[in-house]
Amino acid sequence: MSIQIQTTDAAHAHYAQHVAKLLEDSAKQRGTGIAKRSGFYLLQKIAEGKAVIALDGDVLVGFCYIESWEHGKYVAHSGLV
């Protein structure tokens, strides 16, 4: 296993739907009420470079994106899988 962690860009767009499904499945498995994120929403985070992705070759093994509010005054990580 050779995991690479990268800041996302448009080249990672094809992972958006897979990440959405992974987040949903993970929340169900844990029994949490985490908000569901659409592939489109995640695609925006990916394209804006507001996410990191962990890949083993071409296989998605981890993902996290950043939320900000109050004009960037506050930030938090979200969607960690």
Side-chain angles (χ1 to χ4, degrees), residues 20-40:
K21 177 83 169 109
L22 186 62
L23 289 171
E24 182 178 1
D25 292 348
S26 176
K28 285 179 183 176
Q29 186 177 28
R30 292 186 325 268
T32 62
I34 193 167
K36 188 174 177 181
R37 300 291 184 228
S38 71
F40 179 75

Side-chain angles (χ1 to χ4, degrees), residues 6-27:
Q6 305 168 2
T7 302
T8 58
D9 60 27
H12 299 102
H14 64 279
Y15 289 102
Q17 285 301 116
H18 185 70
V19 170
K21 177 83 169 109
L22 186 62
L23 289 171
E24 182 178 1
D25 292 348
S26 176

Side-chain angles (χ1 to χ4, degrees), residues 52-81:
V52 292
I53 193 166
L55 300 169
D56 183 8
D58 291 343
V59 178
L60 174 69
V61 294
F63 184 84
C64 183
Y65 64 90
I66 296 189
E67 287 286 357
S68 62
W69 61 97
E70 296 278 335
H71 304 288
K73 186 175 178 181
Y74 303 102
V75 295
H77 67 80
S78 192
L80 179 63
V81 289

